[in-house]
C-alpha cells in the first residue's frame, strides 16, 4: 500500500540550529516526492519536489531534501533555522491517478523554534 | 494571477445538513483535487476532477460528491453532515500531467455542530 511516514510528530529547535525532518515512503514505482509547509491560518505551500535526476533537491526558504531510494527516505534539511520557520511540515508522495497524480500525505511534523 | 481561491473561508453547519464548497483553480490549470484535513492530521485525498469528470476517488462515502464546470472551477458537496466531517477542506489545482505541481487554496474550515 502507498503510504508516507513522518516519525517525528513534534520537534523543537533553537534559532540558528540545524534541522532535519524525517520522511519515509512506501510506493511501488518511482516516487514523486514533495515537502509542503503549512503555517497557522495559511494554505499549503510547496517547499521542494523530487521527480527525477539529482537526488539532492534545493527548495525555497533555504530548505533542501535528499532522496535515498535504498532507505525509502526523503528527509528535509535546513542548516540554520529562523523563527519564521515555525510551522507544520508535510511530506507527500505523488501517486498515479489516471493521467494525473494524487498526493498521499504523512501526518506532519510540527516545528517549534526557540529564540 | 489570483492563485487557487476557495469559498467560503469558514462555515458552521448542523448535523444532517448539506454543504457546498467552491474552488476556482489557478489560471491555466484544468485538474482539481479535493482533500480533507482533520485537526492534527495530514490531508486525505477525497477525489480529483478532470474534464468535468471524477477521475479518482479516495476512501470517502458517497455523501461526498463533486462537480467540475467547463471553466474548470469545482464544487464539493457533502450531504447528511456528521460531526466527524468537521475539518479543513483543501482544494488543489494543477495542469494535466504526471510531472506537475499542485497549488493549494487557503481552505474552507467546516464546523459541524
Amino acid at each position: 500500500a502507498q503510504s508516507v511516514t513522518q516519525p517525528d510528530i513534534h520537534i523543537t529547535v533553537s534559532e540558528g540550529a540545524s534541522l532535519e525532518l524525517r520522511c519515509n515512503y512506501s510506493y511501488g514505482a518511482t516516487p514523486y516526492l514533495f515537502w509542503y509547509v503549512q503555517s497557522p491560518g495559511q494554505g499549503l505551500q510547496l517547499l521542494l519536489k523530487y521527480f527525477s535526476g539529482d537526488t539532492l533537491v534545493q527548495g525555497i526558504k533555504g530548505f533542501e531534501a535528499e532522496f535515498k531510494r535504498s532507505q525509502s527516505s526523503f528527509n528535509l534539511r535546513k542548516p540554520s533555522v529562523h523563527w519564521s520557520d515555525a510551522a507544520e511540515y508535510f511530506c507527500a508522495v505523488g501517486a498515479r491517478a489516471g493521467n494525473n497524480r494524487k498526493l498521499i500525505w504523512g501526518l506532519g511534523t510540527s516545528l517549534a523554534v526557540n529564540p | 494571477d489570483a492563485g487557487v481561491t476557495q469559498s467560503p473561508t469558514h462555515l458552521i453547519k448542523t448535523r444532517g445538513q448539506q454543504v457546498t464548497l467552491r474552488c476556482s483553480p489557478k489560471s491555466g490549470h484544468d485538474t482539481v483535487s479535493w482533500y480533507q484535513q482533520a485537526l492534527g492530521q495530514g490531508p486525505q485525498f477525497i477525489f480529483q476532477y478532470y474534464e468535468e469528470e471524477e477521475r479518482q476517488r479516495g476512501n470517502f462515502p458517497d455523501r461526498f460528491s463533486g462537480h467540475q464546470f467547463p471553466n474548470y472551477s469545482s464544487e464539493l458537496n457533502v450531504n447528511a453532515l456528521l460531526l466527524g466531517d468537521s475539518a479543513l477542506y483543501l482544494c488543489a489545482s494543477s495542469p494535466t500531467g504526471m510531472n506537475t505541481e499542485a497549488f493549494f487554496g487557503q481552505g474552507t474550515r467546516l464546523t459541524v455542530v
Side-chain angles (χ1 to χ4, degrees), chain B:
Chain B
D1 183 2
V4 181
T5 58
Q6 292 186 244
S7 63
T9 54
H10 294 83
L11 202 53
I12 299 175
K13 289 287 190 177
T14 304
R15 273 181 302 172
Q17 285 189 313
Q18 179 265 345
V19 68
T20 297
L21 311 182
R22 295 176 176 82
C23 173
S24 292
K26 185 176 169 65
S27 177
H29 289 185
D30 57 6
T31 300
V32 173
S33 301
W34 287 92
Y35 294 85
Q36 180 195 66
Q37 186 179 18
L39 201 61
Q41 302 291 315
Q44 297 290 317
F45 175 74
I46 303 175
F47 42 51
Q48 185 179 86
Y49 276 83
Y50 169 64
E51 291 185 334
E52 302 179 48
E53 290 189 12
E54 182 184 295
R55 299 291 179 167
Q56 282 280 322
R57 189 178 183 90
N59 189 25
F60 280 80
D62 292 344
R63 298 187 297 109
F64 289 77
S65 64
H67 189 78
Q68 186 179 36
F69 299 93
N71 66 352
Y72 308 124
S73 67
S74 177
E75 289 181 348
L76 164 65
N77 302 293
V78 187
N79 294 323
L81 284 167
L82 304 174
L83 295 179
D85 295 331
S86 296
L88 180 68
Y89 288 84
L90 295 162
C91 171
S93 76
S94 59
T96 302
M98 302 299 287
N99 298 342
T100 60
E101 169 189 331
F103 289 78
F104 284 81
Q106 301 272 32
T108 294
R109 173 70 64 187
L110 172 64
T111 302
V112 183
V113 297

Side-chain angles (χ1 to χ4, degrees), chain A:
Chain A
Q2 305 153 351
S3 66
V4 175
T5 302
Q6 293 181 248
D8 305 306
I9 297 173
H10 187 88
I11 286 181
T12 301
V13 300
S14 298
E15 192 168 17
S18 64
L19 172 70
E20 182 170 28
L21 302 183
R22 296 182 290 164
C23 172
N24 293 96
Y25 67 89
S26 174
Y27 188 65
T30 300
Y32 287 60
L33 297 162
F34 305 82
W35 274 99
Y36 282 83
V37 61
Q38 187 176 41
S39 300
Q42 302 293 313
L44 288 155
Q45 181 182 23
L46 181 68
L47 286 175
L48 47 77
K49 60 182 184 257
Y50 172 78
F51 286 170
S52 64
D54 193 346
T55 55
L56 185 61
V57 180
Q58 301 298 319
I60 62 171
K61 303 184 180 184
F63 286 92
E64 67 177 26
E66 186 171 11
F67 169 57
K68 293 184 177 180
R69 184 185 298 274
S70 61
Q71 299 177 18
S72 298
S73 69
F74 188 56
N75 294 348
L76 182 71
R77 300 193 295 248
K78 186 170 185 177
S80 178
V81 171
H82 188 262
W83 62 266
S84 61
D85 292 325
E88 190 82 17
Y89 290 81
F90 291 95
C91 180
V93 63
R96 190 180 187 101
N99 292 328
N100 295 291
R101 290 196 183 271
K102 61 184 177 185
L103 293 172
I104 298 171
W105 301 80
L107 293 179
T109 297
S110 178
L111 174 66
V113 180
N114 288 332

